[in-house]
Every structure is written in structure tokens, then in C-alpha cells.
Amino acid sequence: MLIREATPEDWPAVWPFFQGIVTAGETFTYPLELGEDDARGWWLVPAPSRAVVAVDDAGTVLGTAKMNRNHMGNGSHIASASYMVDPQHAGRGVGRALCEYTVEWARATGYRAMQFNAVVETNIHAVRLYRSLGFEVIGTLPEGFKHPTEGYVGLHIMHKAL
């Protein structure tokens, strides 16, 4: 697997699984009816933020991540990231590779920590992955997310010092 800078040419491969993940409404706080143009603008972020894709040897896009500062001004020393893995390629280490990549990017760029603002507590695979990489839940917003089948569930704030 290779992780490289995302390009506009990657978007047609990303959009189908991006749209499926968002419209499922289980893991992201994005609007369920998010249109393709807005989604592209939200994900393929300009520098100094970054978007990357994980691809296999044939060039198939397996997943994607975007990295950015979590806050501006005096809070701009904390990074954040978001991840989407094509469900057809889940369970193959794509999410772990993307997360490790973003942590190294944040460290190399000079960020002091990474913070995820809204990890849905029922997203047990993501929570387990982030914990295994040294992230801790530092707080939970009770009933901060309306899950389509679980009802109102918490949103974790997760942090890792770099």
C-alpha cells in the first residue's frame, strides 16, 4: 500500500465510498445530504492542510485521510485528521496506515498534539484503533450524535500528545 497526496483525479474513486459513509449517518457529523461539490471542497483541502489517498499496487484507492490544524490562532499548534476507508477494503490495515501517516505528518510539521473532536462512541473500530495508537478519550459529549439505529450516543474527544 502506498499513501500519497490526493489529487482532483482521485476524487471520482473517493466520492462513491465517501457518499456511502456520510449518508449512512453512523460516523461523521456531516450533513447526510452533502452534495459532491461541497464534499470535494471539504475533503480536498488546500495547503497547509493536506489530503492523501492510500492506494494498492494497481492504483486502486483504498481509503483517504485529510489533515489540518484543529484550531486557529493560539490553538493552531494542535492538529486533527479525518479518515474514510472504502468498505470494500475494510479490515486490511488501511485505516491504521492512514492514521499512522497523519500522526507522523503532524509530528514532522511541528504540531504538539492531535485531537479528534467528534469520534462517535459506537464507532468501536475507530475508537479501538485510535486507543491502540496512543490516543485517549479526554471527554465525551453525552448524546452529541444522533445515530440512525442506536439513537443519541456520545461523541468522544480524543487526544494524543506528540
PDB file of all heavy atoms in Angstrom, residues 64-99:
ATOM      1  N   THR A  64      -8.802   7.215   2.347  1.00  0.00           N
ATOM      2  CA  THR A  64      -8.325   8.585   2.268  1.00  0.00           C
ATOM      3  C   THR A  64      -8.292   9.210   3.654  1.00  0.00           C
ATOM      4  O   THR A  64      -8.983   8.751   4.568  1.00  0.00           O
ATOM      5  CB  THR A  64      -9.214   9.407   1.305  1.00  0.00           C
ATOM      6  OG1 THR A  64      -8.710  10.733   1.186  1.00  0.00           O
ATOM      7  CG2 THR A  64     -10.654   9.456   1.777  1.00  0.00           C
ATOM      8  N   ALA A  65      -7.487  10.232   3.794  1.00  0.00           N
ATOM      9  CA  ALA A  65      -7.411  10.993   5.038  1.00  0.00           C
ATOM     10  C   ALA A  65      -7.207  12.456   4.697  1.00  0.00           C
ATOM     11  O   ALA A  65      -6.641  12.788   3.647  1.00  0.00           O
ATOM     12  CB  ALA A  65      -6.246  10.509   5.905  1.00  0.00           C
ATOM     13  N   LYS A  66      -7.694  13.315   5.582  1.00  0.00           N
ATOM     14  CA  LYS A  66      -7.357  14.730   5.475  1.00  0.00           C
ATOM     15  C   LYS A  66      -6.784  15.171   6.804  1.00  0.00           C
ATOM     16  O   LYS A  66      -7.176  14.685   7.865  1.00  0.00           O
ATOM     17  CB  LYS A  66      -8.550  15.582   5.055  1.00  0.00           C
ATOM     18  CG  LYS A  66      -9.586  15.780   6.107  1.00  0.00           C
ATOM     19  CD  LYS A  66     -10.560  16.856   5.688  1.00  0.00           C
ATOM     20  CE  LYS A  66     -11.532  17.128   6.814  1.00  0.00           C
ATOM     21  NZ  LYS A  66     -12.200  18.392   6.676  1.00  0.00           N
ATOM     22  N   MET A  67      -5.798  16.066   6.729  1.00  0.00           N
ATOM     23  CA  MET A  67      -5.080  16.535   7.909  1.00  0.00           C
ATOM     24  C   MET A  67      -5.139  18.052   7.922  1.00  0.00           C
ATOM     25  O   MET A  67      -5.019  18.683   6.878  1.00  0.00           O
ATOM     26  CB  MET A  67      -3.619  16.107   7.846  1.00  0.00           C
ATOM     27  CG  MET A  67      -3.432  14.610   7.761  1.00  0.00           C
ATOM     28  SD  MET A  67      -1.894  14.161   6.929  1.00  0.00           S
ATOM     29  CE  MET A  67      -2.431  14.200   5.229  1.00  0.00           C
ATOM     30  N   ASN A  68      -5.294  18.601   9.114  1.00  0.00           N
ATOM     31  CA  ASN A  68      -5.413  20.043   9.234  1.00  0.00           C
ATOM     32  C   ASN A  68      -5.133  20.481  10.667  1.00  0.00           C
ATOM     33  O   ASN A  68      -5.054  19.654  11.571  1.00  0.00           O
ATOM     34  CB  ASN A  68      -6.816  20.497   8.822  1.00  0.00           C
ATOM     35  CG  ASN A  68      -7.913  19.715   9.517  1.00  0.00           C
ATOM     36  OD1 ASN A  68      -8.284  18.641   9.051  1.00  0.00           O
ATOM     37  ND2 ASN A  68      -8.408  20.214  10.629  1.00  0.00           N
ATOM     38  N   ARG A  69      -4.997  21.798  10.855  1.00  0.00           N
ATOM     39  CA  ARG A  69      -4.910  22.299  12.225  1.00  0.00           C
ATOM     40  C   ARG A  69      -6.306  22.206  12.814  1.00  0.00           C
ATOM     41  O   ARG A  69      -7.303  22.358  12.113  1.00  0.00           O
ATOM     42  CB  ARG A  69      -4.352  23.712  12.259  1.00  0.00           C
ATOM     43  CG  ARG A  69      -5.285  24.774  11.754  1.00  0.00           C
ATOM     44  CD  ARG A  69      -4.718  26.175  11.924  1.00  0.00           C
ATOM     45  NE  ARG A  69      -3.460  26.335  11.266  1.00  0.00           N
ATOM     46  CZ  ARG A  69      -3.225  27.155  10.254  1.00  0.00           C
ATOM     47  NH1 ARG A  69      -4.172  27.937   9.805  1.00  0.00           N
ATOM     48  NH2 ARG A  69      -2.048  27.203   9.695  1.00  0.00           N
ATOM     49  N   ASN A  70      -6.360  21.930  14.100  1.00  0.00           N
ATOM     50  CA  ASN A  70      -7.648  21.765  14.758  1.00  0.00           C
ATOM     51  C   ASN A  70      -8.306  23.104  15.064  1.00  0.00           C
ATOM     52  O   ASN A  70      -9.520  23.228  15.009  1.00  0.00           O
ATOM     53  CB  ASN A  70      -7.483  20.945  16.038  1.00  0.00           C
ATOM     54  CG  ASN A  70      -8.790  20.416  16.553  1.00  0.00           C
ATOM     55  OD1 ASN A  70      -9.677  20.100  15.777  1.00  0.00           O
ATOM     56  ND2 ASN A  70      -8.928  20.315  17.853  1.00  0.00           N
ATOM     57  N   HIS A  71      -7.495  24.089  15.408  1.00  0.00           N
ATOM     58  CA  HIS A  71      -7.980  25.434  15.717  1.00  0.00           C
ATOM     59  C   HIS A  71      -7.059  26.438  15.065  1.00  0.00           C
ATOM     60  O   HIS A  71      -5.977  26.105  14.599  1.00  0.00           O
ATOM     61  CB  HIS A  71      -8.012  25.665  17.238  1.00  0.00           C
ATOM     62  CG  HIS A  71      -8.913  24.717  17.960  1.00  0.00           C
ATOM     63  ND1 HIS A  71     -10.283  24.779  17.869  1.00  0.00           N
ATOM     64  CD2 HIS A  71      -8.643  23.674  18.769  1.00  0.00           C
ATOM     65  CE1 HIS A  71     -10.814  23.818  18.606  1.00  0.00           C
ATOM     66  NE2 HIS A  71      -9.834  23.128  19.158  1.00  0.00           N
ATOM     67  N   MET A  72      -7.447  27.686  15.100  1.00  0.00           N
ATOM     68  CA  MET A  72      -6.624  28.757  14.544  1.00  0.00           C
ATOM     69  C   MET A  72      -5.974  29.542  15.683  1.00  0.00           C
ATOM     70  O   MET A  72      -6.160  29.227  16.853  1.00  0.00           O
ATOM     71  CB  MET A  72      -7.487  29.645  13.657  1.00  0.00           C
ATOM     72  CG  MET A  72      -8.084  28.870  12.488  1.00  0.00           C
ATOM     73  SD  MET A  72      -9.163  29.842  11.467  1.00  0.00           S
ATOM     74  CE  MET A  72      -7.983  30.865  10.637  1.00  0.00           C
ATOM     75  N   GLY A  73      -5.207  30.544  15.331  1.00  0.00           N
ATOM     76  CA  GLY A  73      -4.624  31.441  16.317  1.00  0.00           C
ATOM     77  C   GLY A  73      -3.789  30.725  17.353  1.00  0.00           C
ATOM     78  O   GLY A  73      -2.957  29.879  17.023  1.00  0.00           O
ATOM     79  N   ASN A  74      -4.034  31.045  18.615  1.00  0.00           N
ATOM     80  CA  ASN A  74      -3.238  30.476  19.700  1.00  0.00           C
ATOM     81  C   ASN A  74      -3.521  29.001  19.949  1.00  0.00           C
ATOM     82  O   ASN A  74      -2.867  28.392  20.795  1.00  0.00           O
ATOM     83  CB  ASN A  74      -3.440  31.280  20.977  1.00  0.00           C
ATOM     84  CG  ASN A  74      -2.780  32.638  20.901  1.00  0.00           C
ATOM     85  OD1 ASN A  74      -1.947  32.881  20.038  1.00  0.00           O
ATOM     86  ND2 ASN A  74      -3.164  33.541  21.788  1.00  0.00           N
ATOM     87  N   GLY A  75      -4.447  28.411  19.221  1.00  0.00           N
ATOM     88  CA  GLY A  75      -4.705  26.977  19.303  1.00  0.00           C
ATOM     89  C   GLY A  75      -4.208  26.222  18.085  1.00  0.00           C
ATOM     90  O   GLY A  75      -4.477  25.032  17.939  1.00  0.00           O
ATOM     91  N   SER A  76      -3.453  26.912  17.218  1.00  0.00           N
ATOM     92  CA  SER A  76      -3.069  26.303  15.941  1.00  0.00           C
ATOM     93  C   SER A  76      -1.909  25.314  16.045  1.00  0.00           C
ATOM     94  O   SER A  76      -1.460  24.787  15.033  1.00  0.00           O
ATOM     95  CB  SER A  76      -2.714  27.402  14.930  1.00  0.00           C
ATOM     96  OG  SER A  76      -1.596  28.142  15.368  1.00  0.00           O
ATOM     97  N   HIS A  77      -1.473  25.013  17.251  1.00  0.00           N
ATOM     98  CA  HIS A  77      -0.391  24.031  17.434  1.00  0.00           C
ATOM     99  C   HIS A  77      -0.934  22.608  17.638  1.00  0.00           C
ATOM    100  O   HIS A  77      -0.178  21.686  17.880  1.00  0.00           O
ATOM    101  CB  HIS A  77       0.488  24.433  18.623  1.00  0.00           C
ATOM    102  CG  HIS A  77      -0.270  24.594  19.895  1.00  0.00           C
ATOM    103  ND1 HIS A  77      -1.054  25.706  20.148  1.00  0.00           N
ATOM    104  CD2 HIS A  77      -0.388  23.791  20.965  1.00  0.00           C
ATOM    105  CE1 HIS A  77      -1.614  25.574  21.341  1.00  0.00           C
ATOM    106  NE2 HIS A  77      -1.229  24.405  21.850  1.00  0.00           N
ATOM    107  N   ILE A  78      -2.262  22.440  17.521  1.00  0.00           N
ATOM    108  CA  ILE A  78      -2.906  21.135  17.667  1.00  0.00           C
ATOM    109  C   ILE A  78      -3.449  20.713  16.299  1.00  0.00           C
ATOM    110  O   ILE A  78      -4.189  21.464  15.662  1.00  0.00           O
ATOM    111  CB  ILE A  78      -4.054  21.171  18.693  1.00  0.00           C
ATOM    112  CG1 ILE A  78      -3.600  21.783  20.018  1.00  0.00           C
ATOM    113  CG2 ILE A  78      -4.658  19.776  18.863  1.00  0.00           C
ATOM    114  CD1 ILE A  78      -2.506  21.022  20.736  1.00  0.00           C
ATOM    115  N   ALA A  79      -3.089  19.529  15.862  1.00  0.00           N
ATOM    116  CA  ALA A  79      -3.542  19.004  14.572  1.00  0.00           C
ATOM    117  C   ALA A  79      -4.806  18.174  14.743  1.00  0.00           C
ATOM    118  O   ALA A  79      -5.166  17.767  15.851  1.00  0.00           O
ATOM    119  CB  ALA A  79      -2.448  18.137  13.952  1.00  0.00           C
ATOM    120  N   SER A  80      -5.450  17.911  13.629  1.00  0.00           N
ATOM    121  CA  SER A  80      -6.576  16.993  13.596  1.00  0.00           C
ATOM    122  C   SER A  80      -6.529  16.239  12.272  1.00  0.00           C
ATOM    123  O   SER A  80      -5.766  16.599  11.373  1.00  0.00           O
ATOM    124  CB  SER A  80      -7.910  17.741  13.743  1.00  0.00           C
ATOM    125  OG  SER A  80      -8.961  16.817  13.965  1.00  0.00           O
ATOM    126  N   ALA A  81      -7.327  15.211  12.163  1.00  0.00           N
ATOM    127  CA  ALA A  81      -7.395  14.442  10.919  1.00  0.00           C
ATOM    128  C   ALA A  81      -8.726  13.703  10.875  1.00  0.00           C
ATOM    129  O   ALA A  81      -9.370  13.498  11.906  1.00  0.00           O
ATOM    130  CB  ALA A  81      -6.240  13.451  10.828  1.00  0.00           C
ATOM    131  N   SER A  82      -9.113  13.331   9.680  1.00  0.00           N
ATOM    132  CA  SER A  82     -10.311  12.520   9.448  1.00  0.00           C
ATOM    133  C   SER A  82      -9.953  11.435   8.448  1.00  0.00           C
ATOM    134  O   SER A  82      -9.073  11.632   7.605  1.00  0.00           O
ATOM    135  CB  SER A  82     -11.447  13.376   8.894  1.00  0.00           C
ATOM    136  OG  SER A  82     -11.817  14.387   9.792  1.00  0.00           O
ATOM    137  N   TYR A  83     -10.661  10.322   8.541  1.00  0.00           N
ATOM    138  CA  TYR A  83     -10.316   9.151   7.732  1.00  0.00           C
ATOM    139  C   TYR A  83     -11.574   8.513   7.162  1.00  0.00           C
ATOM    140  O   TYR A  83     -12.604   8.454   7.830  1.00  0.00           O
ATOM    141  CB  TYR A  83      -9.617   8.094   8.593  1.00  0.00           C
ATOM    142  CG  TYR A  83      -8.551   8.671   9.478  1.00  0.00           C
ATOM    143  CD1 TYR A  83      -8.835   9.036  10.786  1.00  0.00           C
ATOM    144  CD2 TYR A  83      -7.261   8.880   9.001  1.00  0.00           C
ATOM    145  CE1 TYR A  83      -7.862   9.586  11.610  1.00  0.00           C
ATOM    146  CE2 TYR A  83      -6.280   9.424   9.808  1.00  0.00           C
ATOM    147  CZ  TYR A  83      -6.596   9.780  11.113  1.00  0.00           C
ATOM    148  OH  TYR A  83      -5.625  10.333  11.912  1.00  0.00           O
ATOM    149  N   MET A  84     -11.459   8.019   5.942  1.00  0.00           N
ATOM    150  CA  MET A  84     -12.504   7.203   5.338  1.00  0.00           C
ATOM    151  C   MET A  84     -11.833   6.060   4.589  1.00  0.00           C
ATOM    152  O   MET A  84     -10.919   6.291   3.801  1.00  0.00           O
ATOM    153  CB  MET A  84     -13.374   8.007   4.378  1.00  0.00           C
ATOM    154  CG  MET A  84     -14.274   9.002   5.056  1.00  0.00           C
ATOM    155  SD  MET A  84     -15.519   9.583   3.910  1.00  0.00           S
ATOM    156  CE  MET A  84     -16.264  10.881   4.884  1.00  0.00           C
ATOM    157  N   VAL A  85     -12.293   4.855   4.864  1.00  0.00           N
ATOM    158  CA  VAL A  85     -11.792   3.664   4.174  1.00  0.00           C
ATOM    159  C   VAL A  85     -12.944   3.087   3.373  1.00  0.00           C
ATOM    160  O   VAL A  85     -14.062   2.937   3.887  1.00  0.00           O
ATOM    161  CB  VAL A  85     -11.254   2.620   5.180  1.00  0.00           C
ATOM    162  CG1 VAL A  85     -10.861   1.335   4.471  1.00  0.00           C
ATOM    163  CG2 VAL A  85     -10.077   3.205   5.962  1.00  0.00           C
ATOM    164  N   ASP A  86     -12.684   2.774   2.125  1.00  0.00           N
ATOM    165  CA  ASP A  86     -13.689   2.121   1.291  1.00  0.00           C
ATOM    166  C   ASP A  86     -14.094   0.824   1.982  1.00  0.00           C
ATOM    167  O   ASP A  86     -13.240  -0.025   2.269  1.00  0.00           O
ATOM    168  CB  ASP A  86     -13.092   1.838  -0.083  1.00  0.00           C
ATOM    169  CG  ASP A  86     -14.091   1.266  -1.068  1.00  0.00           C
ATOM    170  OD1 ASP A  86     -15.096   0.649  -0.652  1.00  0.00           O
ATOM    171  OD2 ASP A  86     -13.859   1.434  -2.280  1.00  0.00           O
ATOM    172  N   PRO A  87     -15.392   0.644   2.288  1.00  0.00           N
ATOM    173  CA  PRO A  87     -15.826  -0.578   2.975  1.00  0.00           C
ATOM    174  C   PRO A  87     -15.403  -1.868   2.272  1.00  0.00           C
ATOM    175  O   PRO A  87     -15.222  -2.894   2.917  1.00  0.00           O
ATOM    176  CB  PRO A  87     -17.353  -0.446   3.009  1.00  0.00           C
ATOM    177  CG  PRO A  87     -17.607   1.019   2.957  1.00  0.00           C
ATOM    178  CD  PRO A  87     -16.502   1.576   2.083  1.00  0.00           C
ATOM    179  N   GLN A  88     -15.192  -1.813   0.964  1.00  0.00           N
ATOM    180  CA  GLN A  88     -14.720  -2.996   0.232  1.00  0.00           C
ATOM    181  C   GLN A  88     -13.299  -3.391   0.646  1.00  0.00           C
ATOM    182  O   GLN A  88     -12.869  -4.508   0.371  1.00  0.00           O
ATOM    183  CB  GLN A  88     -14.745  -2.740  -1.272  1.00  0.00           C
ATOM    184  CG  GLN A  88     -16.123  -2.534  -1.842  1.00  0.00           C
ATOM    185  CD  GLN A  88     -16.061  -2.273  -3.340  1.00  0.00           C
ATOM    186  OE1 GLN A  88     -15.282  -2.906  -4.058  1.00  0.00           O
ATOM    187  NE2 GLN A  88     -16.874  -1.352  -3.804  1.00  0.00           N
ATOM    188  N   HIS A  89     -12.593  -2.473   1.292  1.00  0.00           N
ATOM    189  CA  HIS A  89     -11.207  -2.735   1.675  1.00  0.00           C
ATOM    190  C   HIS A  89     -11.002  -2.651   3.181  1.00  0.00           C
ATOM    191  O   HIS A  89      -9.867  -2.567   3.657  1.00  0.00           O
ATOM    192  CB  HIS A  89     -10.274  -1.762   0.946  1.00  0.00           C
ATOM    193  CG  HIS A  89     -10.420  -1.816  -0.534  1.00  0.00           C
ATOM    194  ND1 HIS A  89      -9.973  -2.877  -1.303  1.00  0.00           N
ATOM    195  CD2 HIS A  89     -11.004  -0.965  -1.407  1.00  0.00           C
ATOM    196  CE1 HIS A  89     -10.271  -2.669  -2.564  1.00  0.00           C
ATOM    197  NE2 HIS A  89     -10.891  -1.515  -2.659  1.00  0.00           N
ATOM    198  N   ALA A  90     -12.097  -2.696   3.932  1.00  0.00           N
ATOM    199  CA  ALA A  90     -12.016  -2.625   5.393  1.00  0.00           C
ATOM    200  C   ALA A  90     -11.354  -3.886   5.947  1.00  0.00           C
ATOM    201  O   ALA A  90     -11.404  -4.956   5.339  1.00  0.00           O
ATOM    202  CB  ALA A  90     -13.417  -2.465   5.989  1.00  0.00           C
ATOM    203  N   GLY A  91     -10.718  -3.724   7.112  1.00  0.00           N
ATOM    204  CA  GLY A  91     -10.113  -4.856   7.786  1.00  0.00           C
ATOM    205  C   GLY A  91      -8.758  -5.266   7.248  1.00  0.00           C
ATOM    206  O   GLY A  91      -8.233  -6.320   7.593  1.00  0.00           O
ATOM    207  N   ARG A  92      -8.164  -4.425   6.409  1.00  0.00           N
ATOM    208  CA  ARG A  92      -6.873  -4.756   5.794  1.00  0.00           C
ATOM    209  C   ARG A  92      -5.746  -3.835   6.257  1.00  0.00           C
ATOM    210  O   ARG A  92      -4.687  -3.801   5.644  1.00  0.00           O
ATOM    211  CB  ARG A  92      -6.987  -4.685   4.274  1.00  0.00           C
ATOM    212  CG  ARG A  92      -8.006  -5.651   3.707  1.00  0.00           C
ATOM    213  CD  ARG A  92      -8.045  -5.564   2.197  1.00  0.00           C
ATOM    214  NE  ARG A  92      -9.175  -6.321   1.682  1.00  0.00           N
ATOM    215  CZ  ARG A  92      -9.540  -6.315   0.428  1.00  0.00           C
ATOM    216  NH1 ARG A  92      -8.875  -5.605  -0.457  1.00  0.00           N
ATOM    217  NH2 ARG A  92     -10.573  -7.020   0.031  1.00  0.00           N
ATOM    218  N   GLY A  93      -5.994  -3.053   7.295  1.00  0.00           N
ATOM    219  CA  GLY A  93      -4.962  -2.173   7.818  1.00  0.00           C
ATOM    220  C   GLY A  93      -4.877  -0.808   7.156  1.00  0.00           C
ATOM    221  O   GLY A  93      -3.956  -0.040   7.438  1.00  0.00           O
ATOM    222  N   VAL A  94      -5.834  -0.491   6.298  1.00  0.00           N
ATOM    223  CA  VAL A  94      -5.810   0.795   5.603  1.00  0.00           C
ATOM    224  C   VAL A  94      -6.004   1.940   6.596  1.00  0.00           C
ATOM    225  O   VAL A  94      -5.258   2.931   6.574  1.00  0.00           O
ATOM    226  CB  VAL A  94      -6.884   0.852   4.488  1.00  0.00           C
ATOM    227  CG1 VAL A  94      -6.910   2.223   3.829  1.00  0.00           C
ATOM    228  CG2 VAL A  94      -6.651  -0.253   3.463  1.00  0.00           C
ATOM    229  N   GLY A  95      -6.990   1.818   7.473  1.00  0.00           N
ATOM    230  CA  GLY A  95      -7.238   2.864   8.462  1.00  0.00           C
ATOM    231  C   GLY A  95      -6.043   3.081   9.372  1.00  0.00           C
ATOM    232  O   GLY A  95      -5.659   4.219   9.655  1.00  0.00           O
ATOM    233  N   ARG A  96      -5.433   2.003   9.828  1.00  0.00           N
ATOM    234  CA  ARG A  96      -4.246   2.105  10.690  1.00  0.00           C
ATOM    235  C   ARG A  96      -3.111   2.817   9.951  1.00  0.00           C
ATOM    236  O   ARG A  96      -2.469   3.711  10.488  1.00  0.00           O
ATOM    237  CB  ARG A  96      -3.784   0.728  11.150  1.00  0.00           C
ATOM    238  CG  ARG A  96      -2.466   0.757  11.943  1.00  0.00           C
ATOM    239  CD  ARG A  96      -2.134  -0.583  12.543  1.00  0.00           C
ATOM    240  NE  ARG A  96      -3.096  -0.959  13.560  1.00  0.00           N
ATOM    241  CZ  ARG A  96      -3.060  -0.532  14.827  1.00  0.00           C
ATOM    242  NH1 ARG A  96      -2.101   0.284  15.218  1.00  0.00           N
ATOM    243  NH2 ARG A  96      -3.972  -0.925  15.677  1.00  0.00           N
ATOM    244  N   ALA A  97      -2.873   2.431   8.708  1.00  0.00           N
ATOM    245  CA  ALA A  97      -1.795   3.056   7.937  1.00  0.00           C
ATOM    246  C   ALA A  97      -2.060   4.546   7.744  1.00  0.00           C
ATOM    247  O   ALA A  97      -1.142   5.367   7.884  1.00  0.00           O
ATOM    248  CB  ALA A  97      -1.641   2.360   6.584  1.00  0.00           C
ATOM    249  N   LEU A  98      -3.302   4.903   7.450  1.00  0.00           N
ATOM    250  CA  LEU A  98      -3.636   6.317   7.274  1.00  0.00           C
ATOM    251  C   LEU A  98      -3.468   7.087   8.579  1.00  0.00           C
ATOM    252  O   LEU A  98      -2.933   8.195   8.590  1.00  0.00           O
ATOM    253  CB  LEU A  98      -5.064   6.467   6.739  1.00  0.00           C
ATOM    254  CG  LEU A  98      -5.266   6.096   5.278  1.00  0.00           C
ATOM    255  CD1 LEU A  98      -6.745   5.965   4.956  1.00  0.00           C
ATOM    256  CD2 LEU A  98      -4.593   7.114   4.354  1.00  0.00           C
ATOM    257  N   CYS A  99      -3.917   6.506   9.684  1.00  0.00           N
ATOM    258  CA  CYS A  99      -3.797   7.181  10.970  1.00  0.00           C
ATOM    259  C   CYS A  99      -2.323   7.354  11.350  1.00  0.00           C
ATOM    260  O   CYS A  99      -1.909   8.443  11.781  1.00  0.00           O
ATOM    261  CB  CYS A  99      -4.564   6.422  12.044  1.00  0.00           C
ATOM    262  SG  CYS A  99      -4.780   7.359  13.578  1.00  0.00           S
TER     263      CYS A  99
END
